[in-house]
Amino acid sequence: MGRPGYVTVPILSVLAAIGYVYYTTVFLAIPAWLGLTTAAGVANAAVFTALAAACVATYAVAVSRDPGRVPAAFVPDVEDSESPIHEIKRKGGDLRYCQKCSHYKPPRAHHCRVCKRCVLRMDHHCIWINNCVGHENYNIFLVFVLYAVIASFYSMVLIIGGAMHSLPKDEHPGSDSSRTSIHHEGVRAMWLAEKAGNLYHHPYDLGIYENLVSVLGPNTFCWLCPISRNIGSGVRFRTSYDIPLSTPPM
């Protein structure tokens, strides 16, 4: 596997898959169903081309953008009133320190064995982008996945429509089944709490809308913009303790 940011076989596979789906949809499915010379055919081809271009653009940014480096001068301030919680080691209770990188770890930062360095707000290392998904590219990775899902469903509708239109009139389409691959993400702390029969609330879980705002920004009109940047410094994050309760506790 190449170093982060380098073109690898999984990256070429993703680009090949995008190209294959684009060719099948625009040059086979649409002509078979609507025709590329009709207004409906041209409109659908233009919309799908825009979606495919958005997928490639956001994918390229997710591959090439640095996921976030820990500032060289970072030192946790345990007396900082703006940080309601501090992450410590499970053994000993000391502040989190990376022995391999020789510096303290900000909240939610982790050391990646593939990238060989600590990454801010590290989610996971993705082989399909040969890069970590972290603070700096989390938003663009999420937007890429959203564009890919929309384009996949759009392509599926056009391909099924083209296949049904191409069937002889005296034949009926057979039943078929498709599988959808879903990315699951688990939190070890939640799993351990549920295993012990305890309730667990992740301190960085602000709710669906606030979680999206923390990644994509407060301006909803810029959420799907491929050039949108991340927010915050990557060394401090809002927690559920920062959000005032809407109703007094019972």
Side-chain angles (χ1 to χ4, degrees):
M1 178 177 292
R3 287 180 292 175
Y6 279 47
V7 176
T8 58
V9 173
I11 291 179
L12 294 177
S13 300
V14 172
L15 294 176
I18 295 176
Y20 176 78
V21 172
Y22 178 79
Y23 175 82
T24 303
T25 303
V26 174
F27 296 102
L28 296 180
I30 294 179
W33 184 14
L34 305 171
L36 280 178
T37 58
T38 64
V42 171
N44 279 276
V47 172
F48 192 79
T49 298
L51 276 175
C55 285
V56 173
T58 52
Y59 181 71
V61 176
V63 170
S64 59
R65 180 176 294 178
D66 191 290
R69 295 178 178 271
V70 178
F74 172 77
V75 177
D77 184 3
V78 295
E79 297 181 356
D80 186 0
S81 59
E82 296 184 5
S83 298
I85 61 175
H86 295 278
E87 297 181 359
I88 59 176
K89 295 181 180 179
R90 279 182 286 180
K91 294 182 179 180
D94 297 328
L95 292 173
R96 297 168 66 239
Y97 186 85
C98 182
Q99 300 292 341
K100 297 180 180 179
C101 298
S102 300
H103 60 59
Y104 286 100
K105 295 181 181 178
R108 309 173 80 175
H110 299 282
H111 186 88
C112 177
R113 292 177 297 176
V114 180
C115 298
K116 298 184 178 0
R117 64 182 176 90
C118 288
V119 177
L120 294 176
R121 195 187 188 182
M122 178 182 174
D123 186 87
H124 68 287
H125 185 91
C126 180
I127 64 170
W128 301 108
I129 65 174
N130 191 32
N131 200 359
C132 277
V133 178
H135 177 66
E136 298 287 342
N137 65 349
Y138 193 101
N139 55 349
I140 202 68
F141 180 81
L142 185 63
V143 172
F144 160 69
V145 173
L146 178 60
Y147 277 130
V149 170
I150 295 175
S152 297
F153 277 103
Y154 192 10
S155 173
M156 182 178 65
V157 171
L158 293 174
I159 290 176
I160 292 177
M164 295 182 65
H165 189 79
S166 300
L167 287 176
K169 300 303 181 181
D170 56 346
E171 295 183 7
H172 299 282
S175 61
D176 193 6
S177 61
S178 60
R179 296 181 179 181
T180 303
S181 176
I182 304 177
H183 172 69
H184 295 277
E185 177 184 350
V187 179
R188 179 173 176 80
M190 183 181 297
W191 177 80
L192 291 174
E194 292 179 351
K195 185 178 180 180
N198 301 323
L199 295 177
Y200 176 80
H201 177 72
H202 200 288
Y204 297 109
D205 184 5
L206 308 179
I208 296 178
Y209 176 75
E210 291 294 337
N211 287 341
L212 289 174
V213 169
S214 68
V215 175
L216 300 177
N219 191 342
T220 56
F221 296 102
C222 297
W223 280 7
L224 301 183
C225 181
I227 60 174
S228 62
R229 301 292 298 185
N230 55 283
I231 59 175
S233 63
V235 298
R236 179 181 292 137
F237 301 93
R238 293 182 62 199
T239 68
S240 55
Y241 303 104
D242 298 321
I243 301 178
L245 297 175
S246 57
T247 56
M250 298 297 293

